[in-house]
């Protein structure tokens, strides 16, 4: 069974840093495209970052608003994906979800973690 | 970056009615890589449609997607009580960022 469990969120002052973790089970993170999506309180979904599978070169991408501040990475030995967030701003306050698609030859399914809440405030 | 605009913002309908949701892209979506998600309060989103028209695993056939290029539609043929939620489109064509629309809320009339 595929499961994603996020952790690492919390209350942090502006300018601070946090590292979010997404521990995966039921599949290997190195073989899938792993994404982070966030949702500010009462707002819509915002795609944040992705790391491609090893087979696709492991490339990483970011939404413009976090480029240079956030870094996505993975530890294959721990089957975990990370989002290092530096220079945090009030507008980074959101629930952060880790997500992955699992596609067979006939269909796709998505999996999401329960989310971890990041609050940036003084 | 491709901007997705969803309309209407809110759709007020009764159970059993047909819902038609629109998603318009600021430029053509590569390979029609357009997905639809459903989100209920306090829950993570759930994938409904990918590739503009393919239903995700376990999704009932009352949900259907259509469209190509810059104009896409999600149709719910007959609304069930559990379908009242917020719906988002997302494009995942070519290189990221893979943007979301702002959402359409389907509420009970």
């Amino acid at each position: 069974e595929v499961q994603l469990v996020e952790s690492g969120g919390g209350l942090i002052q502006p300018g601070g840093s946090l590292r979010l973790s997404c521990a995966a089970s039921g599949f290997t993170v190195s073989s899938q495209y792993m994404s982070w999506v966030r949702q500010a309180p009462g707002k819509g979904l915002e795609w944040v970052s992705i790391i491609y599978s090893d087979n696709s070169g492991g490339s990483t991408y970011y939404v413009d608003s976090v480029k240079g501040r956030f870094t996505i990475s993975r530890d294959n030995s721990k089957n975990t994906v990370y989002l290092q967030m530096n220079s945090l701003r009030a507008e980074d306050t959101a629930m952060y979800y880790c997500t992955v698609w699992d596609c067979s030859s006939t269909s796709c399914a998505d999996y999401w973690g329960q989310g971890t809440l990041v609050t940036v405030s003084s | 970056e491709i901007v997705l605009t969803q309309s209407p913002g809110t759709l007020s309908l009764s159970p059993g009615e047909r819902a038609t949701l629109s998603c318009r892209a600021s430029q053509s979506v590569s390979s029609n890589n357009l997905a639809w998600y459903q989100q209920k309060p306090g829950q993570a989103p759930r994938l409904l449609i990918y590739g503009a028209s393919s239903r995700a695993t376990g999704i009932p056939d009352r949900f259907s997607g259509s469209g190509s290029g810059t104009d896409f539609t999600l149709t719910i043929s007959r609304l069930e009580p559990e379908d009242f939620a917020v719906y988002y489109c997302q494009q995942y064509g070519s290189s990221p960022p893979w943007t979301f629309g702002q959402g359409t809320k389907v509420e009970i009339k």
Side-chain angles (χ1 to χ4, degrees):
Chain A
E1 180 191 4
V2 172
Q3 194 171 11
L4 300 171
V5 178
E6 300 102 335
S7 60
L11 175 62
I12 187 76
Q13 291 189 339
S17 298
L18 279 177
R19 188 180 79 160
L20 306 185
S21 299
C22 171
S25 57
F27 72 101
T28 53
V29 296
S30 62
S31 65
Q32 301 286 2
Y33 288 23
M34 300 294 300
S35 298
W36 288 93
V37 172
R38 67 184 179 183
Q39 187 167 36
K43 302 298 183 182
L45 302 173
E46 181 180 33
W47 180 90
V48 175
S49 181
I50 191 169
I51 183 165
Y52 283 3
S53 63
D54 279 349
N55 284 349
S56 295
S59 301
T60 59
Y61 297 90
Y62 304 89
V63 67
D64 281 351
S65 60
V66 310
K67 279 181 185 175
R69 301 188 298 123
F70 289 12
T71 303
I72 191 171
S73 63
R74 62 171 173 245
D75 184 334
N76 294 342
S77 67
K78 295 182 178 179
N79 211 34
T80 297
V81 175
Y82 302 99
L83 187 67
Q84 177 68 43
M85 305 188 297
N86 299 330
S87 302
L88 282 162
R89 306 167 180 168
E91 54 265 35
D92 296 318
T93 294
M95 183 71 79
Y96 284 73
Y97 294 101
C98 173
T99 181
V100 64
W101 282 21
D102 180 21
C103 293
S104 67
S105 58
T106 56
S107 188
C108 291
D110 65 333
Y111 298 91
W112 296 68
Q114 81 287 358
T116 187
L117 182 62
V118 173
T119 303
V120 184
S121 175
S122 54
Chain B
E1 173 179 316
I2 296 178
V3 176
L4 299 179
T5 302
Q6 292 186 240
S7 61
T10 302
L11 201 49
S12 298
L13 295 168
S14 300
E17 289 193 294
R18 181 184 188 91
T20 303
L21 288 66
S22 173
C23 177
R24 177 162 291 177
S26 60
Q27 56 188 280
S28 184
V29 176
S30 173
S31 303
N32 292 330
N33 284 339
L34 192 287
W36 289 93
Y37 292 85
Q38 176 193 69
Q39 188 180 32
K40 297 179 181 179
Q43 297 183 15
R46 176 176 71 146
L47 179 67
L48 301 174
I49 301 288
Y50 64 95
S53 60
S54 298
R55 268 186 299 276
T57 304
I59 300 304
D61 60 7
R62 64 180 181 273
F63 292 93
S64 63
S66 63
S68 64
T70 60
D71 289 299
F72 299 89
T73 300
L74 174 70
T75 302
I76 310 171
S77 59
R78 286 177 57 86
L79 283 164
E80 297 288 341
E82 62 268 27
D83 298 337
F84 292 91
V86 180
Y87 293 83
Y88 296 93
C89 58
Q90 182 197 26
Q91 64 81 22
Y92 55 100
S94 63
S95 291
W98 290 350
T99 47
F100 286 93
Q102 83 278 17
T104 289
K105 181 179 182 179
V106 178
E107 65 176 21
I108 299 177
K109 187 175 181 180

